[in-house]
Amino acid sequence: MRIGILTGGGDCPGLNAVVRAIVRRSVMEHGSEVVGFLEGWRGPMEGMVMPLTLQGTGGLIHRGGTILRTSRANPFKCERGPEKIAEQMEKHRLDALIAIGGEETLSIAEEMSSKHKLNVVCIPKTIDNDLNSTDFTFGFDTAVNVVMEAIDRLHTTAESHNRVLVCEVMGGNAGWIACYGGIAGGADFVLVPEKPIKLKEIAESIKKRHARGRDYSIVVVAEGAHLEGDKAQPPPTVNGNKRTGIGERLAKLIEEETGYETRATVLGHIQRGGSPTAFDRVLATRFGVKATDLVHEKKFGRMVALQGNLVVDVPISEGIGKIKSLDMDLYGVAEVFFS
Ligand code: F6P
């Protein structure tokens, strides 16, 4: 077979590990050839391709980002987008496409599969871990480790200055990164989009904590979290951009309510950069191998997923349309350590 690959949407650590795994499995096990489309869905529309060989994809497992580059290009928002993709698939004699991406990339793939009969298999990725049908996406563990290390560093300086430090992390729709990172880093409060922020309660808890002699506090807040009763906050939507500056705003409000010096740190894209953790390298590799095998079994319109410790495949439609919100039992574990 001849297979095309693309990486779409925001990047995350582990994308290159997937590319490496697909090429290795395709060439060595199935005797197939692989080409990479560049810059997400722009590649198969504009015919931007690069050959992917064993030699060219060796030594990639540790590298962050994506050698295929990425974009948020959407063929359904471009003139003749789906037709152009069909033409390029034919021009490059491709039998199938493996699309690696988040909610938007997967939604496009589903429509290309169901309405335009493209032979496509998907691999879910996002640092946010908010895709349905899979327990974990690669990139998430790396992001959580970045958050944990940042909180470790914030702890020592917060303690030295008797300050409240607010740490804003990614997660526009779901609080997975905030919750895992906050638990691992020993945060004193974790605030997530799933639960409106009760400013007065938090301020009271911080005051009590400081009265007990703990003269500093670490507050982790997901970028999509919002204050209770805050009308300015748009409701969560799939693919919504939730950068409302909640970290800075919250720091100002906490300082006003408590009288304690409070500063904000926004971790931003640091959470998406750098080398993947061992967990993400292994998950990305397992997903790549499984997706390659699905293509060769001609099981199109499917996406790979981690359920428990098993890599399975489900219809692409099961992974899209609705975000996977934070498990509130897990949030309950974070709450044990609040104040
Ligand atoms: O990958 C998902 C995500 O990291 C969100 O948490 C964040 O809001 C968004 O991407 C940021 O994307 P961009 O790179 O477009 O700023």
Side-chain angles (χ1 to χ4, degrees), residues 6-132:
L6 66 81
T7 54
D11 72 337
C12 75
L15 287 169
N16 286 325
V18 178
V19 171
R20 167 182 175 267
I22 293 170
V23 173
R24 180 88 185 180
R25 186 66 162 180
S26 297
V27 174
M28 301 301 283
E29 177 69 19
H30 302 288
S32 294
E33 286 174 339
V34 186
V35 300
F37 282 115
L38 303 179
E39 299 182 13
W41 289 101
R42 187 174 298 135
M45 283 193 285
E46 306 301 331
M48 297 156 64
V49 292
M50 68 184 271
L52 291 173
T53 60
L54 281 181
Q55 209 183 4
T57 55
L60 270 187
I61 195 160
H62 63 282
R63 230 167 103 178
T66 162
I67 59 162
L68 300 178
R69 304 198 299 276
T70 185
S71 76
R72 298 192 193 274
N74 183 337
F76 295 105
K77 291 181 183 157
C78 299
E79 211 186 321
R80 295 188 65 253
E83 290 77 17
K84 282 180 174 173
I85 291 174
E87 286 161 16
Q88 291 298 330
M89 291 292 288
E90 198 171 324
K91 179 176 170 194
H92 294 281
R93 296 176 289 107
L94 295 172
D95 303 292
L97 181 71
I98 298 179
I100 310 160
E103 165 70 31
E104 195 173 6
T105 306
L106 268 49
S107 298
I108 294 167
E110 202 285 322
E111 200 168 338
M112 286 301 299
S113 166
S114 58
K115 295 203 182 128
H116 297 273
K117 306 300 165 214
L118 181 72
N119 292 339
V120 62
V121 166
C122 288
I123 300 180
K125 69 87 215 157
T126 165
I127 66 162
D128 296 337
N129 198 39
D130 60 357
L131 280 176
N132 265 309

Side-chain angles (χ1 to χ4, degrees), residues 9 55 89 150 165 192 210 215 218 223 239-240 253 294 320:
Q55 209 183 4
M89 291 292 288
L165 292 183
V192 295
H210 287 224
D215 283 332
I218 304 288
E223 63 186 348
N239 293 329
L253 291 169
L294 288 174
I320 58 175

